[in-house]
Every structure is written in C-alpha cells, then in structure tokens.
Amino acid sequence: MDILSSKENGVLTLEFNRPERKNAITAAMYQSMADAINEAEQDAAVRAILIVGKPEIFTAGNDLEDFMKTAPSTGAVEDRSVYKFMLALSGASKPVVAAVAGAAVGIGTTLLMHCDLVYAADTAKFSMPFSQLGLCPEFASSVLLTQIAGYPRAAEKLMLGEAFLAQEALEMGLVSRVLPAAELLAFAQGQAAKLVALPASSIRATKQLMKASRKGLISETIAAENKLFSAMLTAPEAKEAFTAFFQKRKPDFSQFA
C-alpha cells in the first residue's frame, strides 16, 4: 500500500509509504487520502488526523510520470484526485497535524499550509519549484505563503523555487516547531493525542473561526491558480521543463519570451 491508513486512540494516521520512489504521489494515492479524510469527517471516533512520511523523506511531490499520464487536457480540474484530496484536507473540520522529515517538495509543502499543526525534523527541507517547471503556485499557496511569511520571503520561495531548511521554515511561520529527527514522530503523535483529549466541539469551533475570514479568498485563489496552472501545463515552457527532467538535463527557457 502506497498510503498506509490506521486509526488508533482517536487519531487517523495517513503515511506516505512509497520510499522506493521517494514517496512521490500518484493519482491513486491522492484518491486514497481523500477518501480516508472524508470518511474520518463522518466518523465520530476520529478526533484528529496525522499526516506523516518516512524518516528519510516526507514526499518528493507529484510522481511526474503518473501526473503527465493522468492530468487531463480537457474536463474539469475538480475531477482530478489531487483536487479531491486538497479539497478534503482544506475543508476538514477536525484538526490536522503533520510531521515532516526529509524533503517536502511541491505539493508536499503546499499541503502543510492547510494543516493546523506542522512539526518538522531538523532534517526537513522544503521547496515549491513550480516556476522551475514552467508552472504557477497551486492550491492557494500564492496567498497562504504570503500571509504566513510576508510578500518578500514568499516571492523568493515561489519565484525562485529554491529549497529551504527547517530553521528558516520555522522563522517564516510555516512550521510550528523543529525537533531532532529521532523525536519528531513521537512528539507529533503526542500533540495529536492532546487534541483527542480536548472537547471535540471546542476544537472544531476554534478551527472554523480561525479559518472563516479567509475561506472565500482561498476558494477564489484556488480557482484562479487552477485556471492558470492548467493552461501553463500544456505551454512550451512546461513541455521543455518536463522533457529536460526526463532527459536528466538542465532546461533551456531562453527561447521563450
């Protein structure tokens, strides 16, 4: 199973389990996570959700081979499994905790902005290389990262797409705390257990109130990003970026205006 799902003591744990491919996410994996979160929303026994990777890597982001096969050239973006996952994650009424060790690439970083508590190992490394692939930010990362880190720092991370380490993520406000790698999982599990022990209605109400003011903005931004992302996916720049990736060479964007 590329996504391990387990329920224990009120916590639904979703674990990326594809280490041989650096936990790169396929359409089937997105669908599995979307289904699990949606089921958890209806399950009174689940009071918190925990998303984890492996000690050596969180996720390398989209599996590009699978992504290019499954990304539709026509049809509604809303039909894609990645959209269903992000809709389930961003709309979850129950608290979501993430524990990040190793690399969190692309959507691996984007999804953290929709979680409530994010903890990073001192080995964590984040990146959003959308511009390097001839694409644009996704799933409201353009507005959420700006709100979290401020425009200058968000512009640096989203325009250049360069990786940054756990301490900088903490300074930016992207993560709640940085811990030694050996302590990360137990700490995140402990925080999830604290949430389970608190009144579920209080946690849900608090989350709802905190997110209410930006709910409309996030929906509008996701729609705008999706429109641009879909158009850019078939543009020459993205084709050059993906071709270069599979040919293991540096892309040449100098030919494009």
Side-chain angles (χ1 to χ4, degrees), residues 88-165:
L89 177 63
S90 62
S93 65
K94 298 179 181 183
V96 182
V97 181
V100 184
V105 181
I107 199 162
T109 293
T110 298
L111 72 86
L112 302 176
M113 301 177 205
H114 295 274
C115 297
D116 302 298
L117 304 178
V118 180
Y119 300 105
D122 50 15
T123 61
K125 188 176 183 180
F126 307 85
S127 62
M128 292 167 284
F130 307 118
S131 63
Q132 297 175 3
L133 293 171
L135 301 172
C136 67
E138 59 181 3
F139 296 109
S141 57
S142 60
V143 67
L144 288 174
L145 190 63
T146 302
Q147 291 178 343
I148 290 167
Y151 184 89
R153 196 164 241 175
E156 182 180 59
K157 303 312 176 191
L158 289 171
M159 289 183 180
L160 295 177
E162 295 173 343
F164 54 100
L165 302 179

Side-chain angles (χ1 to χ4, degrees), residues 116 203-215:
D116 302 298
I203 298 300
R204 286 196 304 270
T206 300
K207 178 171 180 173
Q208 181 181 7
L209 289 167
M210 291 176 69
K211 291 200 166 190
S213 63
R214 66 186 193 186
K215 185 175 181 180

Side-chain angles (χ1 to χ4, degrees), residues 1-2 17-24 29 54 56-57:
M1 297 290 290
D2 292 336
N17 185 47
R18 201 182 179 216
E20 73 282 0
R21 293 299 298 270
K22 298 182 178 180
N23 284 347
M29 293 165 70
K54 296 297 184 184
E56 62 276 10
I57 189 164

